Amino acid sequence: MNNIVMPQEKLTNLKELVSRVEKIDIDLKRYDLIYVENGFRFTKNQSVEMQRYKKVKKEYQKKINEIIKTL
């Protein structure tokens, strides 16, 4: 892999986006562990929140990919 010099601003944005995606992954896994493995059903609010998390995660990953493509 080549050593690429990134502008500090892009590097900071990339790190921030990656940390947000990791947080969302942790939140989604928490829901899976609590509800799915124990056989509980999600409430309507929890289902909406899960869908929102997944949508935001996709948006963050698109931004990450855009930053990587510009390198």
Side-chain angles (χ1 to χ4, degrees):
M1 180 175 217
N2 296 338
N3 290 334
I4 298 173
V5 178
M6 270 187 175
Q8 187 62 35
E9 182 180 339
K10 280 189 180 181
L11 182 61
T12 304
N13 288 342
L14 187 60
K15 286 180 180 180
E16 184 179 321
L17 288 170
V18 169
S19 69
R20 288 179 184 179
V21 168
E22 289 173 349
K23 183 185 180 308
I24 289 173
D25 280 340
I26 290 170
D27 289 343
L28 289 172
K29 286 178 185 176
R30 178 179 52 95
Y31 275 121
D32 286 344
L33 288 175
I34 292 172
Y35 291 96
V36 176
E37 290 184 359
N38 293 323
F40 295 119
R41 300 243 187 251
F42 292 117
T43 64
K44 182 171 175 122
N45 289 338
Q46 290 168 331
S47 295
V48 169
E49 188 175 357
M50 291 272 295
Q51 294 303 319
R52 185 176 57 84
Y53 279 161
K54 289 177 182 179
K55 182 179 177 183
V56 170
K57 180 181 173 183
K58 284 182 184 179
E59 290 175 10
Y60 288 158
Q61 288 181 331
K62 283 181 184 178
K63 289 179 184 178
I64 289 170
N65 290 338
E66 288 174 7
I67 291 173
I68 291 172
K69 284 180 185 179
T70 58
L71 297 176

